[in-house]
Amino acid sequence: MSFPTTPKWAKDKNYFWHSNPESRPLDVTYFDKCIIRPKVDLAWQIIKEEAEGDIFLAQETIQRYDNDNANMFAGRTVQDMADKYFLEEWDQEKCINHGAKAFSNYHPRNWDDGKDQRKLEVNRDEFATVFKNAIEGIKEAANHLGINKIEGESEVFTEIPGLALPYYGKPDFSKQIELKTKWSSVSLKSKSGARANSLPVDPTWPHLCQVSGYWFEKKRPQAIVYANKLGYRTFSESNCERLSEDALTSTINYVASKCRIREHQLQKAANSLELIKLVEPDFGHYFGWDRHPDVVEEAKQLWGFR
């Protein structure tokens, strides 16, 4: 998606909007948005017969750059189940059956020595309980915010003063409630083969940065719900000062400052390859470069490490 007002210095690099600057490292953001996304977009156009090209090669391109994993999939599945529950008024059992079918269709990574397969098994065992806890957390958040009818995911484009590009995101529910699922870790020391990850005692900084953009659009109060197999925890202005208007104002100013630096880099670089070389890559980042070895190798070559 592009916009008529997108500056040429951004459009030429396939960078049409800002996303949460704390969600992933900047080197990964530039690589994904400016290098990978044009290739994947073209591949989909070929498959949909909107552009000419080899369909087999297009399918290979999409598979090579697919960065899904069992945790990301499980989180999407629980959100989809929650949508069915709140928006289509399915009962919980029907939602769980729907989730089970989705899990049966997920294909784990085949290049990480079985790590994703093991995570899939753990998540499959607990997704129904996580879903039930998420439902209770969302209800509590809606009550705190005075939301009578819960709406589903929607797109938000926030215009932030001083930025040429909008801040983009997709709030999970009613543009005010963000759901974060926490999945157990694989543990060979546990009889169950898993160890539950604890719920945070405060919202994490990346999640606060994320919702600050949603808040800034219309100044809607925000809530963040964390759910795992043991329970849930809901944060809103009623119990968390960091979600107050003053705190979110400070957070969005931080977000804008980081995005402003990115715009300076986008304007300075002549093209996408020059852009990524303005930042130092961290190929050892614990999740940023957790992707197919061929993709990491491609990135290292572009940065000149090969």
Side-chain angles (χ1 to χ4, degrees):
M1 181 186 300
S2 181
F3 300 93
T5 56
T6 303
K8 186 175 186 299
W9 48 260
K11 185 184 300 183
D12 287 351
K13 303 175 186 69
N14 206 60
Y15 198 108
F16 301 114
W17 54 73
H18 296 292
S19 50
N20 179 10
E22 294 297 305
S23 65
R24 55 183 173 171
L26 181 55
D27 56 328
V28 176
T29 296
Y30 282 165
F31 182 72
D32 284 346
K33 284 190 173 188
C34 305
I35 304 297
I36 290 180
R37 188 172 295 167
K39 297 180 183 180
V40 174
D41 287 348
L42 176 59
W44 278 115
Q45 290 174 18
I46 292 172
I47 289 174
K48 295 176 182 178
E49 298 183 349
E50 297 172 353
E52 294 185 1
D54 188 308
I55 292 180
F56 178 76
L57 292 179
Q59 292 172 335
E60 279 194 336
T61 296
I62 292 170
Q63 292 173 0
R64 179 169 63 255
Y65 292 122
D66 180 19
N67 193 37
D68 205 7
N69 61 54
N71 276 4
M72 294 167 59
F73 162 76
R76 291 197 311 271
T77 299
V78 167
Q79 182 180 336
D80 180 46
M81 294 162 65
D83 284 342
K84 301 295 185 186
Y85 179 83
F86 287 113
L87 308 183
E88 301 182 37
E89 299 183 349
W90 287 16
D91 61 41
Q92 290 195 8
E93 183 176 355
K94 185 176 180 181
C95 292
I96 291 170
N97 290 335
H98 176 73
K101 183 177 180 180
F103 267 88
S104 68
N105 291 328
Y106 175 77
H107 299 288
R109 295 173 169 182
N110 59 7
W111 48 264
D112 63 357
D113 297 323
K115 177 182 175 182
D116 202 47
Q117 176 65 50
R118 292 189 290 273
K119 279 298 291 127
L120 175 65
E121 293 167 0
V122 168
N123 295 353
R124 183 191 290 119
D125 288 343
E126 62 185 45
F127 83 91
T129 305
V130 174
F131 160 70
K132 291 177 181 179
N133 291 333
I135 291 298
E136 295 306 311
I138 294 168
K139 288 179 180 178
E140 183 177 287
N143 183 57
H144 287 174
L145 298 174
I147 297 173
N148 295 320
K149 182 175 176 58
I150 294 175
E151 300 175 354
E153 184 180 75
S154 56
E155 294 185 328
V156 168
F157 289 92
T158 304
E159 300 294 335
I160 301 176
L163 295 179
L165 302 175
Y167 176 97
Y168 170 75
K170 298 174 72 174
D172 292 332
F173 299 98
S174 301
K175 295 185 178 181
Q176 292 180 265
I177 302 173
E178 194 67 21
L179 173 64
K180 302 297 182 183
T181 51
K182 306 286 285 184
W183 302 93
S184 297
S185 302
V186 175
S187 175
L188 300 178
K189 297 180 180 180
S190 171
K191 291 183 179 179
S192 65
R195 182 182 68 255
N197 287 322
S198 60
L199 296 169
V201 296
D202 288 300
T204 68
W205 177 241
H207 297 158
L208 289 167
C209 289
Q210 179 182 359
V211 303
S212 71
Y214 308 154
W215 166 80
F216 191 78
E217 184 208 21
K218 294 285 181 67
K219 303 302 189 294
R220 304 181 188 89
Q222 298 291 311
I224 304 175
V225 176
Y226 293 92
N228 67 3
K229 72 173 185 178
L230 301 179
Y232 68 89
R233 189 163 290 160
T234 300
F235 298 100
S236 66
E237 187 176 7
S238 64
N239 67 352
C240 180
E241 189 276 334
R242 300 179 79 183
L243 286 167
S244 67
E245 184 169 337
D246 287 345
L248 288 172
T249 298
S250 177
T251 303
I252 194 64
N253 287 338
Y254 169 88
V255 168
S257 295
K258 296 204 74 170
C259 292
R260 197 170 295 115
I261 293 170
R262 297 182 181 197
E263 291 193 358
H264 288 324
Q265 291 175 330
L266 284 159
Q267 293 177 60
K268 183 177 181 179
N271 51 53
S272 296
L273 184 57
E274 188 173 306
L275 174 67
I276 67 169
K277 291 186 177 181
L278 291 177
V279 298
E280 180 180 353
D282 178 9
F283 294 114
H285 191 276
Y286 70 103
F287 73 81
W289 291 100
D290 179 27
R291 50 189 67 195
H292 196 286
D294 290 347
V295 178
V296 178
E297 182 64 25
E298 176 186 352
K300 289 181 177 180
Q301 290 178 6
L302 288 177
W303 260 283
F305 284 84
R306 287 289 187 270

